[in-house]
Amino acid sequence: GGAIMSAFASAWGLIAHGSLWYTVNLLAGTMLSGYADMTMEQLAAFHTEGLVVGSIIQVVMSLAGGVLYGVTLPLIPRFQLFFSAIVVPIIWSGLTWASISVVNPALGEHIEWIWFVASQVVFGLVAGWCILRTEKVKTMQNWHYLERLGMETPGAREMGGEE
């Protein structure tokens, strides 16, 4: 999901700003001082430290998001792909929008929210699709509480939960 999201964001930067580096510099600007004061032309230019820091942020956030998706999606009873592609990206984008004024207000002026939400949706679609295609591993947590206690109860389903 993170790799596809990066490609999508870079393609958007190339189309909208004529630069592959705009989006990674914008992301790096959340951690590096001085990036908030850059002009659009400076953000569109290549900066080694921007590439390194932006890439690290992208990898760490993608791994963390992937773990959260991997843990929560199997718990969602229905419409898991809708949840991963629409609900979570809207919540995440809303939290980002609400906190950017505290994290880096000057940089918040450069974020184009349609692109931001779209890249979150791309991540959610890819991550959700990959997670939903993986084999489910049965654990005791899926068992009924009586099964975990070792009690035999007439009418209760078989040990090990549902198939």
Side-chain angles (χ1 to χ4, degrees):
I4 299 298
M5 181 184 191
S6 294
F8 178 81
S10 295
W12 172 83
L14 190 60
I15 292 166
H17 298 283
S19 171
L20 289 171
W21 313 115
Y22 180 79
T23 54
V24 73
N25 287 333
L26 199 58
L27 183 59
T30 60
M31 298 295 284
L32 296 175
S33 62
Y35 277 58
D37 300 325
M38 287 185 176
T39 64
M40 294 287 266
E41 293 78 25
Q42 290 172 320
L43 284 170
F46 175 77
H47 301 282
T48 305
E49 67 278 359
L51 178 62
V52 171
V53 171
S55 298
I56 290 170
I57 293 170
Q58 177 65 23
V59 168
V60 169
M61 293 299 288
S62 294
L63 288 173
V67 168
L68 288 173
Y69 271 78
V71 169
T72 58
L73 278 185
L75 302 175
I76 306 298
R78 293 186 193 172
F79 310 112
Q80 295 163 321
L81 198 55
F82 175 78
F83 182 80
S84 71
I86 304 298
V87 175
V88 173
I90 288 174
I91 292 170
W92 180 252
S93 298
L95 289 171
T96 303
W97 176 80
S99 64
I100 195 73
S101 63
V102 174
V103 174
N104 199 333
L107 206 56
E109 297 172 11
H110 294 289
I111 295 176
E112 295 178 27
W113 292 102
I114 299 293
W115 154 80
F116 185 84
V117 173
S119 64
Q120 300 300 318
V121 168
V122 167
F123 177 85
L125 273 172
V126 174
W129 181 77
C130 290
I131 290 166
L132 294 174
R133 292 190 45 143
T134 60
E135 181 181 347
K136 306 295 184 261
V137 177
K138 293 185 179 193
T139 62
M140 270 183 82
Q141 286 79 8
N142 295 331
W143 293 7
H144 190 274
Y145 72 93
L146 294 174
E147 294 173 316
R148 285 185 263 165
L149 291 172
M151 298 178 71
E152 294 184 22
T153 307
R157 64 179 189 257
E158 290 293 316
M159 293 291 273
E162 298 177 21
E163 288 295 318

